[in-house]
Amino acid sequence: MTELRETFVKPDAAVDGANTLGAAGARLAQRWQGLAATIGTLNGDRPWGDDEPGNEFNKSYLGGEDQPAQKVLDMAADLVPVVELMGPTVKGAVEGTVDVDDMVKTLFGGDDK
């Protein structure tokens, strides 16, 4: 027979942690937006030149979705919004769990009043 294990969470501490994570995600998103814009501007100016070697470099650097620099930009653009939502998602889950626990306690007894 398997042993039943219980998990306990300190809701206030979990919400505080989720808020910290949310703030970090928001800072990351803001900073990434600025960095991505700067990278786009710098690359748009084609500092490597418009001659044949410069065009060849661009083709191997940003010249399509399979190029390393473009892959990094695309992956970060996909990842950063997920990180930005992690804190609020965890906070919602903790608060929802506490609400359900309170409702069950109210509906099925266990209230120490």
Side-chain angles (χ1 to χ4, degrees):
M1 192 184 307
T2 61
E3 180 182 332
L4 178 63
R5 294 183 183 187
E6 295 184 40
T7 301
F8 296 93
V9 173
K10 295 179 181 177
D12 292 338
V15 168
D16 286 347
N19 286 334
T20 300
L21 180 59
R27 283 192 308 276
L28 173 66
Q30 182 181 18
R31 289 180 181 163
W32 171 247
Q33 185 178 6
L35 287 171
T38 299
I39 291 168
T41 298
L42 291 172
N43 287 334
D45 290 343
R46 297 177 60 91
W48 45 81
D50 280 328
D51 57 0
E52 186 178 334
N55 289 331
E56 190 61 31
F57 174 82
N58 183 54
K59 188 172 99 179
S60 299
Y61 178 67
L62 279 175
E65 61 187 47
D66 291 336
Q67 300 310 319
Q70 191 61 52
K71 281 185 177 183
V72 169
L73 292 171
D74 292 345
M75 284 189 290
D78 290 342
L79 180 63
V80 168
V82 173
V83 174
E84 186 177 18
L85 291 175
M86 287 173 66
T89 301
V90 169
K91 182 179 179 180
V94 170
E95 291 173 341
T97 300
V98 168
D99 289 346
V100 168
D101 285 350
D102 289 345
M103 181 184 65
V104 168
K105 184 177 180 181
T106 299
L107 292 174
F108 297 103
D111 198 342
D112 294 336
K113 292 181 185 178

